[in-house]
Amino acid sequence: MRKFSLVGLVMALCILFSCSLVQAQDLRTISVDGSSTIKVAPDKATISISIENTAKDAKLASAQNAQIMQNIQSAILGLAITKDKMQTTNYNLYPVYNTKDNSREIIGYSVSNEITVTINNIDMVGTVIDTAINAGASNVNSIEFGLKDSQVYKDKVLQQAIADAKRKAQVVANSLGKSIVNVVSVNTGSTYIEAKNFNNAMYMRAADATGATSPIQSGDISVRANVSVVFEMN
């Protein structure tokens, strides 16, 4: 009796396994990639401004640097930019050595001080740069254009990428006399913003007599998304 029960169980498992195999074989899928890119005008800019000065005494070098930076910040505040939009990002005080004859004699001290200024009015970028330079800034290290609400554009471009994948799948399915009936899996891949950066730029020009500002053209920002979708066909 046990022998017949065991045989029956094995047969039942084989039938079940065979049914599952047939179902797997009946599942016809198509894998496609979708992508999308949208161009968006930036509505935010972050400007990195720095000053560097040298003096024979460390205390004097630091004091001179602090005075210049205070002048820069006061001038920028005068443009109706609030204090919370300015942030110190780097500060260094280091000795300057006499390099002649391999000497290690300290002949002075150098101080570098860097701040970033974030503004929401792109048209003011040139004005901020000229204002900082006129107040004593040595360098404009970088300008980065971005988006205040980037997630809105990420969601939009992702939806478009998925729609692109679906469109491709439908074209292939129709060409084979099939139709899309279900989604098996989705891999959202990457969604990213290609920010506009101007690095290592140095602006040494003061505003001219006409009041013209440094011309800064931001251009559009690219927001991209890629997806991979597996669809079921019948």
Side-chain angles (χ1 to χ4, degrees):
M1 186 70 177
R2 289 181 179 178
K3 182 177 181 180
F4 286 113
S5 299
L6 180 60
V7 171
L9 177 61
V10 172
M11 291 179 64
L13 290 173
C14 289
I15 293 172
L16 179 61
F17 177 76
S18 298
C19 291
S20 299
L21 183 60
V22 170
Q23 290 177 352
Q25 291 175 340
D26 287 342
L27 182 63
R28 296 177 174 85
T29 63
I30 176 174
S31 178
V32 295
D33 295 329
S35 62
S36 179
T37 301
I38 60 176
K39 300 287 188 179
V40 185
D43 56 10
K44 181 180 73 172
T46 302
I47 308 168
S48 172
I49 300 167
S50 66
I51 55 174
E52 185 171 354
N53 65 289
T54 303
K56 290 186 177 182
D57 178 78
K59 185 176 181 180
L60 178 60
S62 179
Q64 290 176 344
N65 188 283
Q67 183 60 58
I68 297 171
M69 182 56 73
Q70 184 177 347
N71 293 341
I72 293 172
Q73 292 180 341
S74 296
I76 293 175
L77 288 172
L79 299 175
I81 295 175
T82 56
K83 195 171 183 178
D84 62 299
K85 298 298 183 180
M86 289 185 284
Q87 180 180 4
T88 299
T89 52
N90 191 27
Y91 185 92
N92 284 306
L93 170 63
Y94 50 92
V96 179
Y97 295 95
N98 182 3
T99 59
K100 295 180 180 180
D101 301 324
N102 295 321
S103 172
R104 295 297 294 172
E105 177 191 4
I106 296 177
I107 59 175
Y109 290 86
S110 183
V111 180
S112 64
N113 193 353
E114 180 181 12
I115 63 169
T116 58
V117 182
T118 301
I119 58 176
N120 294 329
N121 184 353
I122 300 301
D123 294 335
M124 287 190 63
V125 171
T127 301
V128 171
I129 290 173
D130 289 339
T131 299
I133 291 174
N134 290 338
S138 305
N139 301 299
V140 176
N141 303 314
S142 66
I143 307 169
E144 180 178 325
F145 293 95
L147 301 169
K148 287 181 288 188
D149 192 359
S150 60
Q151 192 60 49
V152 171
Y153 300 102
K154 286 182 178 180
D155 292 345
K156 181 179 179 180
V157 78
L158 182 58
Q159 290 173 351
Q160 292 179 355
I162 292 173
D164 180 54
K166 184 177 180 180
R167 178 190 61 79
K168 291 177 180 176
Q170 288 173 335
V171 170
V172 174
N174 292 339
S175 300
L176 297 173
K178 304 293 182 179
S179 59
I180 301 299
V181 296
N182 197 9
V183 176
V184 178
S185 65
V186 179
N187 184 349
T188 56
S190 59
T191 302
Y192 61 96
I193 296 177
E194 186 182 60
K196 287 285 185 178
N197 294 285
F198 295 83
N199 295 319
N200 302 318
M202 183 178 290
Y203 299 87
M204 299 300 294
R205 182 188 64 82
D208 59 25
T210 63
T213 58
S214 299
I216 305 298
Q217 302 297 327
S218 63
D220 290 333
I221 291 176
S222 296
V223 185
R224 295 188 174 94
N226 299 291
V227 298
S228 295
V229 186
V230 178
F231 293 93
E232 180 186 356
M233 301 186 300
N234 69 5

